[in-house]
Amino acid sequence: MEPAYIYDAIRTPRGKAKPDGGLHDLSPFELLAPLYTAICERTGLDAHLVGEVVLGCVTQYGEQAGNIAKTSALYAGFPSQVSGLTITRFCSSGLDAINVAALKINAGQEQVALAGGIEMMSRIPMMSDQAAIFADPKVALSARILLMGSGADLIASLQGASRAMVDEVALLSQQRASHATNAGFFKSIIAIDNPTKKCIVRTDECIRPQTTMESLAQLPPSFAEIGRAGADAVQLAHYDHLTAISHVHTAANSPAMADAAAMVLIGTESLARDIGSRPRAVIRGMVNACDEPLQVLSGCVVATEKLLRSQGLSVDDIDLFEIHEAFAATIIKLQADLGIPTEKLNVNGGVIAMGHPLGATGAIMMGVLLDELERRQQTLGVVATSGAAGSGTAILIERID
């Protein structure tokens, strides 16, 4: 089996998913195009070498429909023979795009692939495609699929997590993201020009550095009404040892919606000779996993556990973990179940602070992890993401000196 190497991982800043956000005026094609250009310029890649582009995109609707992996490559001026594949595994889509591309390298089907993701949530809002699993109560209940916030509150209830505990997760995310941004740790960011607003977006816009426990405590719970409408009853019927669902998640300890795109160059070891650039890491393991759908977001936990088990590794063997902050209670469950120490986990903040552009998040996290492994001169890192319905994806990488 041919190992898959990561040669570069780049991303746009994460813009606020609002009309006044720095990226809102750009179409998904206009946001992706600078990444195609930058990945070639940074690595010396000839676009004619690329066999496949794999992009994650959750809401494949409107501007994001029509196989945006293929069409964005054409829009960016890539050769017509480059194939394109757009995938979704809910919020794990960006990481699964890397997974799929790496498997193509492993199998010898491709020598070079680009993987990543795109989500312009200010232009194509979450669930605007009216998928039946979210829009049709009969379908949703038959499949035991609830909205993400309901799953987060269930996880909090099962973990006995208080409002203060989930707010502490959010505060740490904000503090770490603010520090990392100010210190210039995010080397994977490509500045994006927005000619409509006459601005260049260089940093993640969702971070709130002035956040305190006091300010977090002022916000009302976001998902209590959904619970009263029937979600609580469904969850309590399944987990009959619970007497109530604790509605502790708010807008501030939940992932911030964002606009962003990301791209990772993956290839064989021999690609280094063709482009004159050394690989930055090698992919050592990849898994998918699923947990109980009613918990919705616990997939990153079971995927991380499955990955470590498959590789014969323990938490102690891993230098850094970049795990999806799919609502604060998920991080509490992760640490309770796997014992990952805080000093190894999301050391530069996570999506609660920096934003969660659904289909791009996993690929963004890969770049964040790789940047930090290099900065610290460490070796092994794990990226894991959660998607809806209990799905999860995890990848183990080894930095190359």
Side-chain angles (χ1 to χ4, degrees):
M1 185 177 74
E2 178 76 49
Y5 291 84
I6 296 175
Y7 283 81
D8 207 359
I10 61 175
R11 67 174 178 99
T12 72
R14 285 174 270 207
K16 293 183 294 183
K18 297 179 179 179
D20 64 349
L23 303 177
H24 167 75
D25 309 280
L26 305 174
S27 73
F29 296 95
E30 292 169 328
L31 189 61
L32 281 163
L35 295 185
Y36 283 101
T37 300
I39 202 98
C40 292
E41 291 178 346
R42 284 168 53 116
T43 63
L45 174 68
D46 181 344
H48 289 84
L49 296 174
V50 178
E52 181 84 282
V53 176
V54 186
L55 295 183
C57 182
V58 174
T59 310
Q60 295 180 36
Y61 177 76
E63 295 177 321
Q64 292 179 167
N67 191 5
I68 196 166
K70 172 60 179 176
T71 53
S72 66
L74 290 172
Y75 181 89
F78 265 48
S80 58
Q81 67 265 25
V82 177
S83 298
L85 173 66
T86 305
I87 66 169
T88 180
R89 199 191 298 273
F90 305 111
C91 299
S92 287
S93 300
L95 197 59
D96 264 294
I98 297 172
N99 191 339
V100 170
L103 288 172
K104 285 176 172 283
I105 301 297
N106 293 158
Q109 183 178 345
E110 303 292 352
Q111 300 301 306
V112 185
L114 293 176
I118 176 71
E119 208 80 38
M120 292 293 290
M121 299 182 74
S122 69
R123 297 170 70 102
I124 311 294
M126 182 171 59
M127 295 186 291
S128 58
D129 56 348
Q130 291 293 296
I133 58 165
F134 298 122
D136 185 332
K138 181 179 178 180
V139 173
L141 291 176
S142 295
R144 302 201 313 283
I145 291 178
L146 300 177
L147 292 175
M148 285 64 75
S150 295
D153 281 344
L154 173 60
I155 291 171
S157 304
L158 292 169
Q159 294 295 317
S162 67
R163 172 65 182 272
M165 291 168 66
V166 293
D167 281 350
E168 285 171 357
V169 172
L171 179 62
L172 183 60
S173 183
Q174 294 285 355
Q175 291 172 335
R176 286 178 161 181
S178 179
H179 175 262
T181 298
N182 292 336
F185 289 169
F186 299 130
K187 302 299 185 184
S188 54
I189 292 182
I190 302 300
I192 300 296
D193 181 28
N194 181 342
T196 300
K197 285 192 171 77
K198 295 182 173 60
C199 68
I200 297 177
V201 184
R202 302 181 186 277
T203 58
D204 298 312
E205 295 182 335
C206 299
I207 303 169
R208 296 180 173 87
Q210 304 307 316
T211 299
T212 64
M213 286 295 288
E214 291 72 25
S215 65
L216 290 169
Q218 300 302 312
L219 294 174
S222 296
F223 309 106
E225 185 175 343
I226 295 173
R228 289 190 293 269
D232 285 6
V234 172
Q235 293 170 329
L236 291 172
H238 187 83
Y239 294 94
D240 55 10
H241 66 285
L242 292 177
T243 58
I245 301 298
S246 300
H247 294 290
V248 296
H249 287 91
T250 70
N253 55 41
S254 305
M257 292 184 288
D259 297 333
M263 195 164 288
V264 180
L265 173 58
I266 302 172
T268 61
E269 186 175 18
S270 63
L271 177 62
R273 295 193 299 271
D274 295 329
I275 65 176
S277 292
R278 297 179 65 251
R280 297 172 64 187
V282 60
I283 295 176
R284 291 299 187 197
M286 303 175 287
V287 301
N288 295 111
C290 272
D291 203 6
E292 165 56 45
L294 288 176
Q295 293 190 42
V296 187
L297 303 163
S298 53
C300 65
V301 181
V302 295
T304 301
E305 183 178 29
K306 181 179 178 180
L307 177 66
L308 294 176
R309 187 171 61 250
S310 72
Q311 298 296 310
L313 298 172
S314 71
V315 167
D316 292 340
D317 296 316
I318 306 301
D319 295 304
L320 291 174
F321 291 85
E322 192 69 26
I323 311 291
H324 190 189
E325 288 179 346
F327 295 77
T330 308
I331 297 300
I332 292 172
K333 175 178 173 59
L334 176 80
Q335 292 193 279
D337 288 3
L338 301 185
I340 299 174
T342 301
E343 60 268 21
K344 286 187 176 185
L345 177 61
N346 297 347
V347 295
N348 290 327
V351 300
I352 289 175
M354 291 184 285
H356 176 29
L358 308 183
T361 293
I364 290 174
M365 290 169 60
M366 180 62 79
V368 170
L369 175 64
L370 188 51
D371 284 349
E372 189 63 16
L373 284 172
E374 290 176 343
R375 192 182 74 83
R376 295 180 178 217
Q377 294 292 290
Q378 292 179 321
T379 304
L380 290 179
V382 169
V383 185
T385 51
S386 290
S391 60
T393 302
I395 296 179
L396 171 71
I397 65 169
E398 178 182 346
R399 182 184 67 86
I400 297 173
D401 288 326

